Amino acid sequence: MRILYVEDNPELRETIGMLMEGEGRTVTPCATAEEALALDAGDVFDVVVTDVSLPGLSGTELARQLLAGDPQRWVVLCSGYELGSHPRSWGPNVRALLKPFELEELEQLLECIHTALASAAG
């Protein structure tokens, strides 16, 4: 499973990026939504995990652009603000994590996504 992790805070990007690495998982970290779109355009990632508050293009706008190209994309929005059920209305594979989140919460979510991707690949 290839994960694109978008976070403008360098310490968080490094720490959470390393924690998401694991068996069958590779993480590509980047600092901006613009960089994420460029990376994803070259080779589509299985899941995009993004902070909502980014300089320039926001994480929610990044999600909208990715979902416009493929409504089935897996996108995880990380926010310090409660997003409620709003992200789910964007697509069946959009999830939200409230910051600060527990690492177990992130791990469970990634496991669920990995299982869903594996069963979709058949």
Side-chain angles (χ1 to χ4, degrees):
M1 180 166 80
R2 295 178 60 244
I3 302 167
L4 181 58
Y5 180 48
V6 192
E7 170 59 65
D8 60 318
N9 178 308
E11 292 84 24
L12 274 179
R13 187 170 59 242
E14 184 176 338
T15 305
I16 303 293
M18 285 191 322
L19 292 169
M20 282 194 288
E21 293 271 353
E23 186 67 35
R25 284 191 220 150
T26 58
V27 178
T28 302
C30 66
T32 67
E34 291 84 354
E35 188 183 350
L37 287 170
L39 287 166
D40 192 69
D43 193 6
V44 174
F45 286 82
D46 297 312
V47 60
V48 176
V49 178
T50 183
D51 187 20
V52 169
S53 300
L54 296 169
L57 206 60
S58 72
T60 51
E61 186 53 39
L62 169 63
R64 283 193 183 97
Q65 288 191 31
L66 293 171
L67 293 163
D70 177 2
Q72 301 300 311
R73 288 293 298 267
W74 279 98
V75 179
V76 178
L77 297 164
C78 303
S79 174
Y81 305 98
E82 182 59 60
L83 298 173
S85 61
H86 185 66
R88 289 224 184 216
S89 67
W90 298 351
N93 299 326
V94 179
R95 301 292 183 270
L97 271 180
L98 187 61
K99 287 168 126 181
F101 49 81
E102 296 295 324
L103 292 175
E104 294 79 27
E105 206 178 346
L106 176 61
E107 186 60 33
Q108 284 179 337
L109 183 55
L110 292 175
E111 284 299 320
C112 288
I113 292 170
H114 190 255
T115 302
L117 288 167
S119 61

